[in-house]
Amino acid sequence: MSDLSELVGGGGGGAMELISSVSMSGASTVDFTSLPLGTYDNFFILCTGVGNTVNSAALMARMFKNGSLVTGSDYLVGMTVRSGTSSLSYQSSSPNALNLSAEGIPTDTKGTLQLWLTNMNDAEARNFNGYSHYYQAKGTNPGSATLNEKATNLICGATGTGSFDGIRLYPEVSTFTSGQASLYGFKTS
């Protein structure tokens, strides 16, 4: 690779391209639907400045499959969590949605989410997997702030035919007060 333009939006297979960017402010859900799976097989979502109206409400996600939201207990997550000065802990569960934030979003801070969605057009039973990293500083004074972070490996194995073709991000309760969500795709060859 001769320069960064070959990775970000500049060329053939593997090039990263911005597909869509939306404001999260005032929204109760942010949906990226009808993902162009013929053009891209892997996606990256970057959410910056994520704020919430209800203290400590978690940032959640659910997948769309064939245009329908997957709401059953089809998700499997394995996560490492650090809250404040605590050590990393590992947890796993099979919930009916994906919890992407460490402790929820405190109203006095903003968070950042990096979310990778891979193998979106995979015909195997698991059909989709991904990885997310959410982090936020808690507190208004950088000298006394604590860092909350959560790294999550995720799988959604909803039964039936077809591919996962979208994702919904939402606060556990209420609405987002701020944030920008951008969806990028990595071109297939």
Side-chain angles (χ1 to χ4, degrees):
M1 176 168 31
S2 61
D3 63 34
L4 189 59
S5 67
E6 290 180 26
L7 175 63
V8 182
M16 184 169 119
E17 295 182 349
L18 177 64
I19 298 170
S20 178
S21 187
V22 297
S23 172
M24 300 169 79
S25 184
S28 59
T29 62
V30 173
D31 292 349
F32 290 110
T33 58
S34 302
L35 297 179
L37 297 177
T39 305
Y40 310 98
D41 189 37
N42 299 303
F43 298 87
F44 175 68
I45 297 173
L46 177 63
C47 299
T48 57
V50 179
N52 191 17
T53 57
V54 174
N55 198 35
S56 297
L59 175 59
M60 307 295 288
R62 284 189 169 142
M63 300 303 297
F64 286 92
K65 185 168 186 175
N66 300 322
S68 297
L69 203 58
V70 178
T71 59
S73 295
D74 296 301
Y75 301 95
L76 177 63
V77 297
M79 61 204 111
T80 55
V81 179
R82 179 186 313 268
S83 178
T85 58
S86 68
S87 60
L88 287 173
S89 65
Y90 180 80
Q91 306 160 15
S92 66
S93 64
S94 299
N96 65 2
L98 301 166
N99 180 338
L100 302 176
S101 58
E103 279 191 330
I105 307 166
T107 55
D108 64 345
T109 190
K110 306 291 185 259
T112 300
L113 172 70
Q114 300 170 348
L115 176 61
W116 296 91
L117 304 175
T118 59
N119 302 315
M120 294 289 286
N121 206 14
D122 192 341
E124 292 182 27
R126 77 170 193 295
N127 210 340
F128 145 80
N129 58 47
Y131 173 80
S132 72
H133 187 198
Y134 181 85
Y135 47 94
Q136 67 195 22
K138 189 174 181 179
T140 55
N141 181 345
S144 65
T146 57
L147 179 66
N148 293 327
E149 64 180 318
K150 180 176 185 179
T152 306
N153 292 306
L154 36 112
I155 296 172
C156 186
T159 57
T161 59
S163 297
F164 290 94
D165 56 3
I167 187 168
R168 169 173 287 171
L169 303 171
Y170 61 98
E172 188 177 25
V173 275
S174 198
T175 59
F176 294 111
T177 57
S178 60
Q180 187 73 22
S182 299
L183 171 69
Y184 297 86
F186 287 87
K187 279 194 159 189
T188 54
S189 52

